[in-house]
Amino acid sequence: RPSSSGNGQKLELKRVAGLGMNAKELEANTSLTDWTVLDLNADANVKLPYDDESFDVIVLQLSIDYLIHPLQVMKEASRVLRKNGKIAILISNRLFLSKAVGLWTGSDDIDHAYTVGGYLRFSDGGFEDIKAEDLSTRKQKGKERVIVGDPLYVVTATKG
């Protein structure tokens, strides 16, 4: 299934599975080959509805700040990720304060990156090479590099 990589290249992807809480949004996403509605906060022993080692890449986009069992979700992500598979967790400081977990609401962007890195490190998921990167669009140079639009960060890791 073709999908844009963001740099003008087309990727031929066999499967792009979506998981979320809004069926209408998932159904409307034409990039998805399949989708599942699942509330990851409904059960402390959450199980992702996928077979072991069934994905090469997992992207968790702008939702980790709402998870009340993030270590279990990261452990499950590891279970469904193939060896040497990659996980990318996108975060921002834009959120619904009434829905985000307390740990998140009293922290800044650097704390958020460390928190997500900690989730990966301490989930017993075997994640290695954990790193964070600022993907925010900025203008100007040096110390005056202000963010244009919403800030965006990614924490990545590889399953060992």
mmCIF file of all heavy atoms in Angstrom, residues 38 48 77-78 126 139:
data_model
loop_
_atom_site.group_PDB
_atom_site.id
_atom_site.type_symbol
_atom_site.label_atom_id
_atom_site.label_comp_id
_atom_site.label_asym_id
_atom_site.label_seq_id
_atom_site.Cartn_x
_atom_site.Cartn_y
_atom_site.Cartn_z
ATOM 1 N N LEU A 38 -9.756 0.494 20.621
ATOM 2 C CA LEU A 38 -9.350 -0.068 21.908
ATOM 3 C C LEU A 38 -8.951 1.057 22.845
ATOM 4 O O LEU A 38 -8.161 1.920 22.481
ATOM 5 C CB LEU A 38 -8.171 -1.032 21.729
ATOM 6 C CG LEU A 38 -7.639 -1.696 22.993
ATOM 7 C CD1 LEU A 38 -8.673 -2.640 23.599
ATOM 8 C CD2 LEU A 38 -6.343 -2.453 22.693
ATOM 9 N N LEU A 48 -2.464 -5.799 23.418
ATOM 10 C CA LEU A 48 -2.694 -5.305 22.065
ATOM 11 C C LEU A 48 -3.228 -6.452 21.209
ATOM 12 O O LEU A 48 -2.788 -7.597 21.367
ATOM 13 C CB LEU A 48 -1.396 -4.757 21.479
ATOM 14 C CG LEU A 48 -0.808 -3.539 22.203
ATOM 15 C CD1 LEU A 48 0.525 -3.142 21.585
ATOM 16 C CD2 LEU A 48 -1.782 -2.367 22.175
ATOM 17 N N ALA A 77 3.935 -3.200 23.339
ATOM 18 C CA ALA A 77 4.510 -2.739 22.074
ATOM 19 C C ALA A 77 5.729 -3.593 21.737
ATOM 20 O O ALA A 77 5.913 -4.005 20.589
ATOM 21 C CB ALA A 77 4.879 -1.265 22.168
ATOM 22 N N SER A 78 6.548 -3.894 22.720
ATOM 23 C CA SER A 78 7.710 -4.750 22.498
ATOM 24 C C SER A 78 7.290 -6.150 22.059
ATOM 25 O O SER A 78 7.917 -6.742 21.181
ATOM 26 C CB SER A 78 8.542 -4.832 23.773
ATOM 27 O OG SER A 78 9.612 -5.725 23.598
ATOM 28 N N GLY A 126 12.925 -4.633 26.596
ATOM 29 C CA GLY A 126 14.177 -4.865 25.887
ATOM 30 C C GLY A 126 14.538 -3.755 24.911
ATOM 31 O O GLY A 126 15.249 -3.995 23.932
ATOM 32 N N LYS A 139 12.386 29.089 13.454
ATOM 33 C CA LYS A 139 12.896 30.150 12.598
ATOM 34 C C LYS A 139 14.074 30.816 13.300
ATOM 35 O O LYS A 139 14.254 30.669 14.513
ATOM 36 C CB LYS A 139 11.799 31.170 12.270
ATOM 37 C CG LYS A 139 11.263 31.942 13.452
ATOM 38 C CD LYS A 139 10.212 32.927 12.995
ATOM 39 C CE LYS A 139 9.696 33.714 14.205
ATOM 40 N NZ LYS A 139 8.704 34.675 13.838
#
